[in-house]
């Protein structure tokens, strides 16, 4: 099993550009999450999904969108990138809500 | 009061030392508790769950005090490979949609 995979690993965007961060898991997990981690800060939840077709906002959803058309994939869309979105983005999944979350390796995004 | 608060450190200890990390949380209705480990520029990985009765995994011991809303992690006989940031994580609800991460405590073990 590959676990949770994320692409790209690194990306530099100009202000106002858009991009999609890809996340996939092969563990048949229902729950998937997107977090961002700013330097010296804890992870903050952007969006989550409890199953295909179901998504909901987390603590910091502004400027982002998600979709969950399959169990495996949970892409995160950035529209009109801003410098405040410079961060490391982690995708995670879990089989049930009380189990541990498995994280992908992260995407380091810089917006200039 | 912050939702999950940790001493950021850094804790600098020699190999073989015992070190303890503390964490407090503000929501008394919190459901479950974890310690994650995060190496530099890597993803967080579960170190251990924390149970009310306390639990141990090799050199690591976790304790939970619900009355004081306090979680601890004890590392005995520190190894160089223990150098990392340790994240205190609290799950506020059954749905797992409210995992709150502390900012982490950095540990550096030296020879």
């Amino acid at each position: 099993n590959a676990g949770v995979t994320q692409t790209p690993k690194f990306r530099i965007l100009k202000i106002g550009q858009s991009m999609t961060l890809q996340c996939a898991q092969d563990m048949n997990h229902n729950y998937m999450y997107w977090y961002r981690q700013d330097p010296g800060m804890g992870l903050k939840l952007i969006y989550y999904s409890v199953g295909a077709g179901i998504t909901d906002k987390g603590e910091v959803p502004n400027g982002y969108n998600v979709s969950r058309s399959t169990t495996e994939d949970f892409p995160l869309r950035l529209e009109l990138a801003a410098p405040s979105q410079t961060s490391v983005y982690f995708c995670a999944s879990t089989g049930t809500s009380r189990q541990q979350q498995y994280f992908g390796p992260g995407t380091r995004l810089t917006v200039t | 009061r912050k939702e999950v608060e940790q001493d950021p450190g850094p804790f600098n200890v020699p190999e073989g030392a015992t070190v303890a990390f503390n964490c407090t949380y503000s929501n008394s209705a919190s459901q479950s508790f974890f310690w994650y480990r995060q190496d530099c520029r890597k993803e967080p990985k579960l170190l251990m769950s924390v149970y009310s009765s306390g639990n141990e995994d090799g050199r690591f011991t976790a304790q939970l005090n619900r009355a004081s809303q306090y979680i601890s992690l004890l590392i005995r006989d520190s190894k160089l490979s223990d150098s990392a940031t340790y994240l205190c994580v609290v799950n506020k609800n059954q749905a797992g949609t409210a995992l709150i991460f502390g900012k982490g405590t950095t540990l550096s073990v030296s020879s």
Side-chain angles (χ1 to χ4, degrees):
Chain A
N1 285 354
V4 180
T5 57
Q6 291 184 239
T7 56
K9 286 190 169 61
F10 306 92
R11 183 73 185 266
I12 299 174
L13 278 183
K14 293 191 186 304
I15 294 171
Q17 287 185 322
S18 300
M19 76 165 295
T20 299
L21 282 64
Q22 301 292 344
C23 174
Q25 52 90 9
D26 61 1
M27 297 174 281
N28 202 32
H29 285 167
N30 284 324
Y31 295 79
M32 295 188 75
Y33 308 84
W34 274 106
Y35 295 91
R36 60 176 287 173
Q37 185 176 32
D38 299 328
M41 303 295 287
L43 278 78
K44 294 193 183 297
L45 183 65
I46 305 171
Y47 269 95
Y48 67 95
S49 169
V50 301
I54 307 168
T55 62
D56 210 342
K57 296 177 181 179
E59 183 184 355
V60 290
N62 291 344
Y64 307 95
N65 276 301
V66 293
S67 59
R68 184 97 182 269
S69 56
T70 66
T71 299
E72 293 78 20
D73 299 298
F74 190 40
L76 177 72
R77 177 85 178 157
L78 277 72
E79 305 283 0
L80 297 175
S84 59
Q85 292 178 305
T86 294
S87 191
V88 181
Y89 291 85
F90 289 105
C91 179
S93 73
T94 185
T96 68
S97 62
R98 302 200 70 174
Q99 289 178 342
Q100 67 164 324
Q101 293 189 5
Y102 295 86
F103 284 80
T107 293
R108 296 185 179 278
L109 176 67
T110 302
V111 182
T112 61
Chain B
R1 183 177 181 183
K2 292 181 183 171
E3 289 194 272
V4 177
E5 203 149 6
Q6 298 180 246
D7 182 342
F11 284 61
N12 298 306
V13 303
E15 274 186 293
T18 295
V19 61
F21 303 142
N22 304 320
C23 171
T24 56
Y25 60 95
S26 60
N27 188 335
S28 59
S30 297
Q31 297 280 332
S32 48
F33 311 88
F34 309 90
W35 283 101
Y36 276 71
R37 171 192 168 129
Q38 187 173 26
D39 293 305
C40 188
R41 300 176 74 81
K42 299 282 192 182
E43 72 273 24
K45 292 184 179 176
L46 180 71
L47 179 67
M48 58 198 303
S49 300
V50 186
Y51 304 115
S52 296
S53 54
N55 49 301
E56 189 173 304
D57 183 2
R59 297 181 293 107
F60 300 86
T61 301
Q63 298 276 357
L64 168 65
N65 184 323
R66 283 188 184 268
S68 302
Q69 295 175 212
Y70 169 90
I71 307 161
S72 66
L73 176 68
L74 183 77
I75 305 176
R76 292 181 299 280
D77 188 23
S78 298
K79 312 290 185 192
L80 293 175
S81 56
D82 293 334
S83 297
T85 297
Y86 291 83
L87 308 175
C88 176
V89 184
V90 173
N91 187 343
K92 286 204 304 189
N93 63 25
Q94 291 277 7
T97 55
L99 265 191
I100 308 297
F101 286 76
K103 294 181 182 179
T105 298
T106 300
L107 171 66
S108 178
V109 182
S110 56
S111 58

